[in-house]
Amino acid sequence: MKRLMSGNAALGEAAILSGCTCYFGYPITPQNELTEYMAKRMPEAGGVFIQSESEIAAINMVLGASVAGARAMTSSSSPGISLKQEGISYLAADELPAVIVNMVRGGPGMGNISPAQSDYLQATRGGGHGDYRTIVLAPSSVQELADIVPVAFDLADAYRNPVIILGDGMLGQMMEPVDFSNIKKIKDYPKDYILTGADNRPSRMVRSLLFDTKEEEEHNWKLYRKFQRIENSEVRFETFLIDDAEIVVVAYGIAARIAKGAIKRLRQDNIRAGLLRPITLWPFPSKKIKEIAKYITDFFVFEMSTGQMIDDVRLALEGKGHISFYGRPGGVIPTPIELARIVSRHYFQTQKVRKQ
Amino acid sequence: MKKIYTRPASMKDAHFHYCPGCGHGIINRLITEVIDEMGLRGKAICVAPAGCGMLVYNYFDIDTLESAHGRGAAVATGIKRVRPDNLVFSYQGDGDLAAIGTAEGFHAANRGELITVIFVNNGVYGMTGGQMAPTTLRQQVTTTTPSGRNPVSAGHPVRVCEVFSVLDGTSYLERVAVNSPSGIRKTKKAIAKAFEHQLNRTGFSLVEILSPCPTSWKMSPIEAFRWIDDVMVKQFPLGVIKEIKC
């Protein structure tokens, strides 16, 4: 049965159905509906809810719950996510699973509360200090948001690494019908590293300070090998009308949804445009882009930022193909008509150049 | 021959890295003695800090997590809420609890989290070389107060127990010192009492331990022990600061 829910509330319900038993949060717009949903639902579900004194405290409570063996989640928005970076780095270093939701705001500093994609680089490059990465999932509808939550918890447990769900105010606050029946039985991950008290077993310690530089080096390489495994096997993306396309729009999250609308309009005007939508922003679908570049040379990156993913597209193309970009930062919501107009103009200009 | 003194079972067979005359070794031993005597080895989970106390996991033979600087009380909160039947305590220094981790400690105390904080107050940042701590005394010379701590620009020494005592979530707060045999015995009793408060679910418990740091204080161990009695206790009076019946 479908229920009409906001993205934030759907995310909370999906987390509980995915076996999340601990949620820690601090108020910040545009993700408050999630904290409020958890305040009500977590006690009903027998789980733990704490409104923490800060985002720093929340992420450290997540770390504590995770090291104690629970599936734990926190959520925030851009400025709050900056504060959580300390804890995210420790989670990665200690190899502890956690899910962190970022409903991104429109800019640096305080930013505004309107939909934006300004935290791509922070999310995909680790975000905090040290040599590490986080898996970054970017859904583009309320249903996909609900579907991706169990995936996020499974990936976190499978790789013992923090996973980021990257959304924005539009995804978090708009209401859409959502069906939770896709969430299957919770997988059981053996956790031989958690702290339960050394009852009839040797004591355990979880730490990230290794004074011996050789040990610390090996720990860094161990993490690196894990990140390579993730890059090799966890890339997710969606393609839309790319088989006969002459131009490929690359967009993620809510921007990809706007792009789909634009592509439908372009197709009506006989402009053969297609879409590549990265679902994992890290690991990035670089191989897929390289493969597409064998038969399509025209790439059009569209982001609700000044252009952050464009670097990854460039790296994937390794100098092949042409990249154009259209961005609307600051919380401005571009429309499909607007994007179609921009892509169309670009298409005819490049066609003219090609003919010459 | 009868063995009358041995290493506690909750303590690993390892050499302390602590400087001569440091109080951490005594405190580490007292904690493990209490854990043994209360039969809590299989239940105890320790949250270690950043600073000299960080390496307690090399000495405690119990489950231990190394926390980020100052975040011990928040991490311990997460652990305890998942495992309410375990004994969860954080081991924190003065910089850790009273400067960078003020918010985490204060609010865990205010929520009445059923955790215990073992708060080692030696008035300096020991591990980083003896800089001013929030508990550094007025006029005390440290590497960042070379002319002595001037309250006009550097503030006053923070009395953590007294601050926490006004919070309704706290149930047991005591200040002790490990600079004498009687002080050491009182410290052990205070740790046991704090753990009892946690296990009886009475409220947040904290033991503040005045502890010598001869290296950073630039004193001999004996001078450092005397300095606690002669100078430090005037700012930080010993005794039970708050106790609710448990």
Side-chain angles (χ1 to χ4, degrees):
Chain A
M1 195 187 69
K2 288 197 172 184
R3 287 164 65 184
L4 186 67
M5 289 177 99
S6 74
N8 282 326
L11 208 161
E13 186 58 33
I16 288 168
L17 294 172
S18 306
C20 173
T21 56
C22 293
Y23 172 87
F24 309 100
Y26 183 88
I28 183 170
T29 310
Q31 60 82 58
N32 294 315
E33 297 80 7
L34 175 52
T35 312
E36 288 164 0
Y37 190 85
M38 288 309 217
K40 187 171 180 295
R41 274 289 283 134
M42 249 326 172
E44 286 171 8
V48 176
F49 169 87
I50 298 180
Q51 181 176 327
S52 63
E53 60 272 23
S54 70
E55 286 91 348
I56 298 172
I59 192 75
N60 280 285
M61 289 173 190
V62 164
L63 192 147
S66 177
V67 84
R71 279 193 157 179
M73 181 169 93
T74 183
S75 63
S76 191
S77 179
S78 308
I81 294 292
S82 292
L83 291 173
K84 287 189 197 295
Q85 293 301 340
E86 175 194 79
I88 296 172
S89 171
Y90 277 78
L91 284 161
D94 291 345
E95 294 196 81
L96 293 173
V99 173
I100 299 114
V101 178
N102 181 2
M103 292 298 174
V104 180
R105 289 166 67 123
M110 190 76 92
N112 61 24
I113 58 171
S114 298
Q117 298 186 314
S118 53
D119 294 352
Y120 180 94
L121 287 171
Q122 185 197 47
T124 57
R125 266 59 183 169
H129 61 282
D131 249 342
Y132 78 94
R133 295 293 174 117
T134 54
I135 298 170
V136 184
L137 302 169
S140 70
S141 69
V142 173
Q143 182 63 58
E144 195 185 14
L145 195 55
D147 290 343
I148 221 154
V149 171
V151 174
F153 279 104
D154 282 344
L155 288 171
D157 273 339
Y159 292 100
R160 289 177 54 182
N161 202 65
V163 174
I164 312 278
I165 296 176
L166 203 66
D168 58 78
M170 203 188 323
L171 202 59
Q173 295 186 316
M174 73 176 167
M175 293 179 95
E176 286 190 299
V178 55
D179 175 8
F180 294 105
S181 63
N182 296 337
I183 302 177
K184 298 280 177 306
K185 216 177 140 258
I186 301 155
K187 277 189 212 165
D188 200 23
Y189 290 87
K191 294 185 172 180
D192 59 359
Y193 57 90
I194 59 169
L195 305 184
T196 58
D199 196 11
N200 291 315
R201 62 157 170 79
S203 59
R204 293 171 181 161
M205 61 173 153
V206 175
R207 60 174 176 160
S208 58
L209 176 93
L210 301 160
F211 275 120
D212 184 331
T213 53
K214 280 189 185 128
E215 264 186 71
E216 184 76 62
E217 185 188 25
E218 180 42 35
H219 182 59
N220 275 272
W221 284 123
K222 184 190 164 204
L223 294 178
Y224 174 77
R225 288 191 293 271
K226 175 165 81 178
F227 299 138
Q228 275 191 317
R229 283 202 305 280
I230 296 170
E231 280 189 307
N232 288 335
S233 44
E234 301 301 342
V235 174
R236 286 163 185 258
F237 56 84
E238 182 204 352
T239 56
F240 177 67
L241 303 176
I242 61 160
D243 288 345
D244 65 339
E246 290 178 282
I247 180 166
V248 180
V249 178
V250 186
Y252 70 92
I254 207 71
R257 197 137 159 211
I258 295 166
K260 264 191 191 173
I263 286 163
K264 283 179 192 159
R265 283 170 183 277
L266 290 163
R267 289 266 166 179
Q268 283 168 7
D269 294 340
N270 294 319
I271 295 171
R272 293 197 311 236
L275 172 75
L276 174 74
R277 176 171 77 92
I279 297 171
T280 50
L281 303 184
W282 191 90
F284 192 72
S286 306
K287 275 186 197 159
K288 185 66 191 174
I289 288 183
K290 234 189 214 173
E291 191 191 306
I292 296 170
K294 283 179 192 161
Y295 55 96
I296 309 170
T297 53
D298 213 354
F299 287 82
F300 192 100
V301 178
F302 168 54
E303 296 178 68
M304 284 153 71
S305 74
T306 56
Q308 299 191 15
M309 181 177 63
I310 191 169
D311 291 350
D312 280 335
V313 178
R314 222 175 252 144
L315 285 167
L317 285 171
E318 292 178 335
K320 295 181 191 84
H322 305 281
I323 306 176
S324 309
F325 174 74
Y326 183 61
R328 294 300 303 269
V332 176
I333 304 168
T335 63
I337 304 172
E338 173 188 345
L339 181 63
R341 202 165 53 226
I342 302 282
V343 176
S344 159
R345 193 171 62 199
H346 162 78
Y347 176 82
F348 288 116
Q349 273 172 354
T350 48
Q351 217 179 32
K352 225 185 278 171
V353 172
R354 273 192 217 114
K355 277 178 189 160
Q356 281 166 2
Chain B
M1 213 193 315
K2 199 183 157 201
K3 204 182 210 179
I4 56 160
Y5 193 76
T6 187
R7 179 169 48 81
S10 302
M11 183 161 265
K12 289 176 184 165
D13 189 4
H15 290 281
F16 283 137
H17 75 286
Y18 304 123
C19 304
C22 169
H24 276 297
I26 302 168
I27 299 162
N28 287 186
R29 185 181 165 98
L30 294 178
I31 292 169
T32 49
E33 278 181 6
V34 171
I35 288 172
D36 279 7
E37 286 163 24
M38 292 176 76
L40 294 169
R41 192 188 161 262
K43 269 189 158 189
I45 301 174
C46 172
V47 177
C52 292
M54 170 158 45
L55 296 177
V56 290
Y57 50 64
N58 287 341
Y59 315 127
F60 289 171
D61 197 7
I62 57 171
D63 279 6
T64 307
L65 168 86
E66 169 200 280
S67 148
H69 191 29
R71 316 298 176 218
V75 173
T77 296
I79 297 173
K80 184 71 180 188
R81 292 290 186 111
V82 174
R83 304 204 163 270
D85 296 329
N86 282 78
L87 174 87
V88 181
F89 68 97
S90 70
Y91 187 99
Q92 299 183 253
D94 36 48
D96 201 83
L97 183 69
I100 195 165
T102 312
E104 287 80 3
F106 183 94
H107 287 281
N110 190 49
R111 285 190 304 267
E113 294 294 341
L114 299 172
I115 60 170
T116 303
V117 174
I118 305 296
F119 169 40
V120 181
N121 177 0
N122 61 14
V124 283
Y125 285 79
M127 193 179 234
T128 46
Q131 295 84 2
M132 179 188 76
T135 49
T136 295
L137 301 183
R138 294 175 197 88
Q139 312 315 327
Q140 187 180 339
V141 173
T142 71
T143 59
T144 49
T145 51
S147 331
R149 181 179 191 171
N150 178 358
V152 174
S153 58
H156 302 268
V158 178
R159 293 190 191 93
V160 169
C161 280
E162 285 80 350
V163 171
F164 280 24
S165 69
V166 297
L167 301 174
D168 292 342
T170 55
S171 77
Y172 179 72
L173 306 165
E174 181 168 357
R175 187 181 289 118
V176 288
V178 285
N179 63 334
S180 68
S182 71
I184 289 168
R185 278 196 296 275
K186 277 182 193 155
T187 302
K188 188 173 169 181
K189 270 189 197 154
I191 293 167
K193 198 81 185 264
F195 287 172
E196 272 170 35
H197 272 254
Q198 178 179 159
L199 297 173
N200 291 332
R201 305 179 196 275
T202 320
F204 177 93
S205 52
L206 179 145
V207 181
E208 175 173 345
I209 306 169
L210 304 185
S211 176
C213 181
T215 303
S216 293
W217 294 355
K218 313 235 179 299
M219 293 178 195
S220 72
I222 290 176
E223 284 168 344
F225 277 52
R226 282 192 187 131
W227 192 75
I228 290 178
D229 275 342
D230 297 345
V231 183
M232 218 177 165
V233 295
K234 294 196 172 85
Q235 175 67 25
F236 301 112
L238 303 181
V240 176
I241 309 295
K242 180 175 179 180
E243 183 172 13
I244 285 171
K245 268 200 180 150
C246 93

